[in-house]
Amino acid sequence: MEFITILLSSLIGIITPAGFVLDRVAEDAIRDRLYDAEEVQVRIDNTPSYQIAQGQVDQVRIALRGVFPVEGMRIDTFEVETDPISIDPGQLRGGEPALEKPLQAGVRLVLNRDDLNQALRSPRIVEQLRNLSLDAVGGSEAELRRYDIVNPQIDFLQGERVRFQATLRQQQTHQELRLLVESGLEVVGGRRLQLTNLVIQVNDEANPSQLTQRLAAGLNRRLDLQRLEADGVFVRVLQFEMEPDELAITPEGGVLHIAAFVRIDPNSPLLRE
């Protein structure tokens, strides 16, 4: 979600104080916000052209392929199609463009299993997994940091289920624990991703239901998109579909398709980051 917000917020800088908008300039501006991208295409529609100087743009369409928002994390496809964008004319002439009304856009995201597994092995994601575990189970940071996460892997299963496997290696004794987490994923009301029928195994033994419930509650809090509304960001998921690994029609294996509507309010603090 952070990547989506950064990309959409960067659109307000596409309109220059001089009143010129160029697709190429927009492409360069987006590349500057990314670690890397294999392909960036931008199309800006605006008629009549004098509206640009008044801070009005009819529509922006963006298509990214093989995009790396950060090092080690690749997104197969990311597409954006905005509603009309309105920039405050006074702010525009002052060289600090700001939204006059909410920025709204349709977003389509495609993630494949191989890219996700590569990302899971990057130092930045490993650190985030530790933080996620702390938040989910309420463990102490000192306790959790005694373990290294080794060979994490995610797989897409039939029935909209996800399996996560990893080895937890104790840093001092090198003792290893095999961790398996499997769960269904469903969208509730378009605004909350929820784990269903969660199963946790450590060394092939099921964990107590109390721990499973705590983990599910913690993860569900993190997956609740309504928490973004405090920062002026509204997200409604329109599509959430998995292509299971065993039924995959692409060489990369399983694929996750997500489509959503996103709205960012003009006073969102994320626009100023």
Side-chain angles (χ1 to χ4, degrees):
M1 184 59 227
E2 177 186 3
F3 166 59
I4 296 175
T5 304
I6 289 174
L7 181 62
L8 291 178
S9 64
S10 69
L11 293 179
I12 68 173
I14 290 175
I15 305 176
T16 70
F20 296 100
V21 173
L22 299 174
D23 293 353
R24 181 63 180 175
V25 172
E27 291 174 6
D28 291 342
I30 290 173
R31 285 186 181 275
D32 287 344
R33 302 297 299 271
L34 304 171
Y35 178 79
D36 196 10
E38 297 166 12
E39 182 179 348
V40 177
Q41 295 182 345
V42 177
R43 178 174 175 177
I44 301 171
D45 298 323
N46 210 77
T47 305
S49 59
Y50 68 77
Q51 287 185 343
I52 298 174
Q54 299 175 353
Q56 305 297 318
V57 174
D58 290 340
Q59 186 181 62
V60 178
R61 283 177 281 184
I62 302 172
L64 308 180
R65 302 287 186 270
V67 57
F68 292 79
V70 297
E71 183 178 6
M73 180 179 179
R74 181 182 185 273
I75 295 174
D76 183 84
T77 302
F78 188 85
E79 297 176 348
V80 175
E81 184 173 311
T82 74
D83 287 351
I85 301 175
S86 181
I87 307 294
D88 183 281
Q91 295 281 94
L92 179 60
R93 287 190 291 271
E96 297 181 357
L99 288 173
E100 196 170 40
K101 64 180 183 179
L103 173 62
Q104 300 185 154
V107 174
R108 190 175 79 90
L109 185 67
V110 178
L111 303 170
N112 68 59
R113 182 203 60 196
D114 286 356
D115 287 339
L116 287 173
N117 283 326
Q118 184 67 32
L120 287 174
R121 291 169 173 81
S122 68
R124 178 166 180 166
I125 301 301
V126 167
E127 185 67 20
Q128 291 183 358
L129 285 175
R130 284 198 179 101
N131 295 336
L132 180 63
S133 299
L134 282 169
D135 181 69
V137 303
S140 68
E141 184 173 359
E143 181 181 8
L144 190 62
R145 289 188 181 277
R146 291 203 301 264
Y147 288 90
D148 291 324
I149 301 175
V150 181
N151 296 326
Q153 177 175 321
I154 192 168
D155 295 291
F156 298 147
L157 311 177
Q158 295 190 51
E160 305 296 316
R161 293 185 64 79
V162 175
R163 177 191 295 138
F164 174 81
Q165 301 178 82
T167 298
L168 302 180
R169 180 179 296 160
Q170 220 280 349
Q171 294 177 354
Q172 294 182 344
T173 66
H174 300 290
Q175 179 183 5
E176 294 185 346
L177 301 174
R178 296 187 306 277
L179 173 66
L180 182 147
V181 180
E182 185 176 312
S183 177
L185 272 175
E186 65 179 27
V187 179
V188 179
R191 299 164 70 182
R192 181 160 53 93
L193 298 178
Q194 181 170 289
L195 302 180
T196 61
N197 300 319
L198 178 65
V199 175
I200 302 176
Q201 292 183 357
V202 177
N203 288 343
D204 300 323
E205 294 185 3
N207 260 288
S209 59
Q210 183 177 6
L211 175 60
T212 301
Q213 292 171 0
R214 287 173 54 193
L215 179 61
L219 290 174
N220 283 333
R221 284 195 302 270
R222 296 293 295 265
L223 294 172
D224 190 348
L225 301 176
Q226 294 185 77
R227 64 190 179 89
L228 299 171
E229 295 178 14
D231 288 325
V233 179
F234 174 89
V235 180
R236 183 172 294 278
V237 178
L238 307 176
Q239 178 192 27
F240 190 90
E241 295 181 358
M242 293 182 195
E243 178 186 303
D245 296 348
E246 58 267 35
L247 301 179
I249 59 176
T250 60
E252 296 85 1
V255 177
L256 175 61
H257 300 267
I258 303 173
F261 167 80
V262 180
R263 185 185 70 226
I264 303 179
D265 292 336
N267 59 353
S268 170
L270 300 179
L271 295 175
R272 297 188 291 272
E273 293 183 353

